[in-house]
Amino acid sequence: MNQQALNFEQPEAEIGSITDGLVIPFWLQILVSTISLILVTICAFCFYRYIQSPKEFASPRDLGLSGIFIISVSALFLVWTPWAKLGIRITKIGGIEFKEIIQGQASEHAEDLRYLEERIDHLETITEKNELNTLIEMVKEPDLKRLLLKFLTKYRGEAFTPDRIRIWGAKQPEFSDLSTYDHLLVRRTLQKLVAEGKLVTSLSAKGKTLYRIPLS
């Protein structure tokens, strides 16, 4: 067994969901808003008094009020912005893990770019062979969707990268056909299943996107 195959024997360690969006608790919004509004009011009052009597009051700059004002307004913006609707997600990670995550995500984005470049080349230089390949891919996708859902349902306690599905999954009974599908086709099909609400994603410690059946 080669080293690549060995790497897929064990599941990737997950560090947190990237499907669930960031939601700030309402009590925290009220607390931050109260403190920020008090500080903004004090800063505004001091600015006003300084403008009215610059000789009698210290400069807001000397008091550091500009920084306090900006921080307070920023805090209001942060707690009341609907981050979940904007697709912003966070998780607790350390510096080393963050570096690995960035590298893993960069690798996935590079694959996406390569896929897009291939599609652009396909559109620019359409041939009968390319058209046939596209047609075959469209025919394969429904069967691949069913196979992926069957596989992930059977192993619903784990989350998988596309590569582990193809390499490790193909060694499992009933799923040998997984190895016949191209890596990019598997990943794009998984992404479509996520968009359809049939799968959810999470992030591995190495920054790779993992796919699983929803646990609830």
Side-chain angles (χ1 to χ4, degrees), residues 112 115 136-150 152 160-162 165-166 178 181-201 211-212:
D112 283 332
Y115 176 82
I136 292 174
E137 187 173 296
M138 291 175 61
V139 172
K140 283 184 174 182
E141 187 176 285
D143 290 334
L144 178 56
K145 279 186 176 182
R146 286 191 290 269
L147 188 59
L148 288 171
L149 288 173
K150 181 179 178 181
L152 292 172
F160 297 83
T161 62
I165 289 175
R166 290 180 60 253
L178 286 171
Y181 293 97
D182 177 75
H183 165 77
L184 287 176
L185 177 59
V186 171
R187 191 149 71 87
R188 304 302 289 192
T189 304
L190 288 167
Q191 291 171 347
K192 289 181 181 179
L193 289 170
V194 172
E196 294 171 5
K198 296 177 180 178
L199 298 180
V200 295
T201 57
Y211 300 84
R212 67 157 75 241

Side-chain angles (χ1 to χ4, degrees), residues 57-125:
F57 291 90
S59 168
R61 177 181 298 177
D62 294 338
L63 297 175
L65 295 182
S66 298
I68 295 175
F69 181 83
I70 293 173
I71 292 173
S72 300
V73 173
S74 299
L76 287 171
F77 171 78
L78 288 172
V79 297
W80 288 107
T81 298
W83 299 110
K85 293 182 180 179
L86 297 176
I88 303 300
R89 299 169 175 86
I90 62 170
T91 185
K92 295 180 180 179
I93 55 176
I96 296 176
E97 291 86 353
F98 181 74
K99 180 180 179 181
E100 292 182 345
I101 287 171
I102 293 299
Q103 292 174 341
Q105 290 290 292
S107 176
E108 287 192 354
H109 293 323
E111 289 181 355
D112 283 332
L113 289 175
R114 187 171 70 252
Y115 176 82
L116 291 175
E117 289 174 354
E118 290 175 356
R119 304 315 295 171
I120 292 173
D121 290 340
H122 167 75
L123 293 174
E124 291 178 345
T125 59

Side-chain angles (χ1 to χ4, degrees), residues 43-58:
C43 290
F45 176 76
C46 292
F47 279 122
Y48 173 76
R49 293 304 302 267
Y50 176 75
I51 292 173
Q52 293 293 319
S53 305
K55 295 182 179 180
E56 297 180 10
F57 291 90

